[in-house]
Amino acid sequence: MNELLEMKEKLNLLKERSLYRNLKVISSEQTSSAVVDGNIKLMLCSNSYLDMSSDKRVKDFVKEIIYTYGTGAGGSRLTTGSYNLHSKLEEILAEMKHTEAALVFNTGYMANVGVISAICDEDYIIFSDELNHASIIDGCRLSKAKTIIYRHNDMVDLEKKLKENTYKKGLIVTDGVFSMDGDIANLPEIIKLSKKYRVLTMVDDAHGTGVLGRHGRGTAEYHGVEGLIDIYMGTLSKAIGSEGGFVCGSRVMIEYLKNSARSFIFSTALSPATIAASLKALEILRVDNRKISDLQENIKYFCHLLNQMGIEVSSESAIIPIIMGDENKALSAAEELLKEGIFVSAIRYPTVEKGKARLRITIMASHSKEELKFAAEKIAAVVSKCEIV
Ligand SMILES: Cc1ncc(COP(=O)(O)O)c(C=O)c1O
């Protein structure tokens, strides 16, 4: 069939350009190490930053919930899928983000797509950071609004664009922590501009939640601007170690989203077990911030090690990119590291711009100092070898 031939050709083209992706299969728990394609590897690319998914307290609670509530949710949230567990989780999330209410979606992707397309109509202009996550981009595309891209975290460019465009309603949307660069959005300035130009603010704190701020409440806690974001979105799939996305904001907005966000309405709710994992992880974080401080200490330690070894990095989030440029170089470095026992992802186009391929290293609270030292030495050796080639 011609269609299949065409697909094959497209796949071959991706292979030629070092852009082909395949799945690495994990067959163990994902902690600071895991069994990857049959062999144990040090995990240096998991988003489970706090290692909550292997926490015994979380697992015990989930087990109990499965025996009480069963497995699947049985319906969408608006039919039979809303459990008291969902309501409890939403209460806790609203409190965590200092807002009146919250709504849980099945994934972070679905939250962004659902929220932006439900709120922004043709009367809006959306001002979106050029490095925002794909789910924000897709949400903007699905909405009927015009989208204007501003230069990454560049507040002068954002203000210029707010000034030179006319609109009835506007929204500034940004990642809190940028997912492939690990840097942090300038929320205080974004809030100032939103007030000056009378537009809404939306922050995607997928990678800030559980990581930034003394209590892990995210980028707003880090900047001291809690309660000042109109639409505070996040995920439960990263530091919280479970699955799901959420949005926090005013009670009216949350009621509106329940009645209009298509990705919320037309999908079966998350299972009680998944919700229970988030509930327990958040409860642990509320009373004990040791994992957060361990993570923050590990991030500092790892950056320090790499800098000492001549690789310039700096990050306050758990994401530490090493830019390799060429796609093939990034891929070869990741393959070399895997042989050395370290699992790191090579991030390439279209996740990042062409020619900006990178190793995306992520740190976990449960990494030991020895593991981090071992990894830094191997990475420094592999990266310097790649640069010589
Ligand atoms: C910044 C950002 N937003 C949203 C998402 C989507 O979240 P989820 O994986 O829960 O769908 C991700 C993760 O992939 C992300 O990095």
Side-chain angles (χ1 to χ4, degrees), residues 61-93:
F61 184 57
V62 169
K63 205 161 129 189
E64 200 184 303
I65 290 296
I66 288 175
Y67 279 94
T68 318
Y69 288 82
T71 52
S76 69
R77 288 289 302 279
L78 292 176
T79 59
T80 62
S82 261
Y83 289 71
N84 54 348
L85 299 166
H86 291 85
S87 314
K88 181 80 194 149
L89 178 59
E90 286 164 352
E91 256 173 51
I92 290 174
L93 289 167

Side-chain angles (χ1 to χ4, degrees), residues 107-109 112 133 135 175 179 204 206-207 235 237-238 244:
T107 66
Y109 185 95
N112 274 337
H133 189 259
S135 52
D175 280 14
S179 56
D204 170 345
H207 298 277
T235 58
S237 56
K238 309 200 191 299

Side-chain angles (χ1 to χ4, degrees), residues 60-305:
D60 284 346
F61 184 57
V62 169
K63 205 161 129 189
E64 200 184 303
I65 290 296
I66 288 175
Y67 279 94
T68 318
Y69 288 82
T71 52
S76 69
R77 288 289 302 279
L78 292 176
T79 59
T80 62
S82 261
Y83 289 71
N84 54 348
L85 299 166
H86 291 85
S87 314
K88 181 80 194 149
L89 178 59
E90 286 164 352
E91 256 173 51
I92 290 174
L93 289 167
E95 191 190 308
M96 181 186 190
K97 299 293 186 186
H98 290 65
T99 59
E100 286 176 0
L103 189 64
V104 170
F105 286 69
N106 288 357
T107 66
Y109 185 95
M110 289 166 80
N112 274 337
V113 163
V115 169
I116 298 172
S117 63
I119 292 178
C120 296
D121 57 21
E122 48 275 275
D123 287 342
Y124 271 82
I125 289 190
I126 303 172
F127 299 89
S128 176
D129 188 290
E130 67 175 322
L131 295 190
N132 276 345
H133 189 259
S135 52
I136 294 178
I137 297 171
D138 292 356
C140 294
R141 285 178 182 160
L142 260 186
S143 79
K144 296 196 175 72
K146 177 176 171 187
T147 302
I148 290 178
I149 310 295
Y150 62 90
R151 281 202 296 270
H152 176 51
N153 227 352
D154 182 337
M155 296 300 111
V156 175
D157 191 45
L158 173 58
E159 177 153 27
K160 183 170 165 276
K161 286 179 168 146
L162 283 162
K163 211 185 272 178
E164 70 192 18
N165 284 283
T166 46
Y167 43 85
K168 280 193 196 147
K169 291 177 260 175
L171 170 75
I172 304 172
V173 59
T174 181
D175 280 14
V177 171
F178 290 87
S179 56
M180 296 301 136
D181 290 74
D183 57 337
I184 301 169
N186 186 349
L187 295 192
E189 198 54 34
I190 286 175
I191 292 166
K192 233 189 260 169
L193 290 175
S194 76
K195 301 238 177 302
K196 185 168 171 189
Y197 292 93
R198 296 171 176 274
V199 295
L200 294 175
T201 48
M202 174 168 175
V203 173
D204 170 345
D205 218 10
H207 298 277
T209 302
V211 174
L212 292 184
R214 206 155 72 82
H215 306 92
R217 292 199 296 261
T219 309
E221 185 191 2
Y222 169 90
H223 278 302
V225 294
E226 287 176 288
L228 300 179
I229 305 292
D230 298 304
I231 309 169
Y232 205 144
M233 176 272 173
T235 58
L236 300 157
S237 56
K238 309 200 191 299
I240 307 306
S242 178
E243 285 167 7
F246 62 86
V247 60
C248 302
S250 68
R251 199 160 281 121
V252 172
M253 180 185 81
I254 296 301
E255 281 312 302
Y256 174 72
L257 291 173
K258 280 181 198 166
N259 286 279
S260 58
R262 292 172 65 83
S263 60
F264 174 81
I265 298 169
F266 297 106
S267 189
T268 297
L270 285 173
S271 73
T274 306
I275 297 296
S278 298
L279 273 174
K280 195 60 175 184
L282 289 170
E283 188 188 309
I284 293 169
L285 288 189
R286 261 212 301 202
V287 294
D288 176 7
N289 56 14
R290 235 170 333 163
K291 279 181 191 260
I292 299 164
S293 54
D294 285 352
L295 174 64
Q296 291 172 352
E297 193 184 309
N298 275 351
I299 295 164
K300 263 195 211 131
Y301 179 64
F302 193 71
C303 287
H304 170 72
L305 285 176

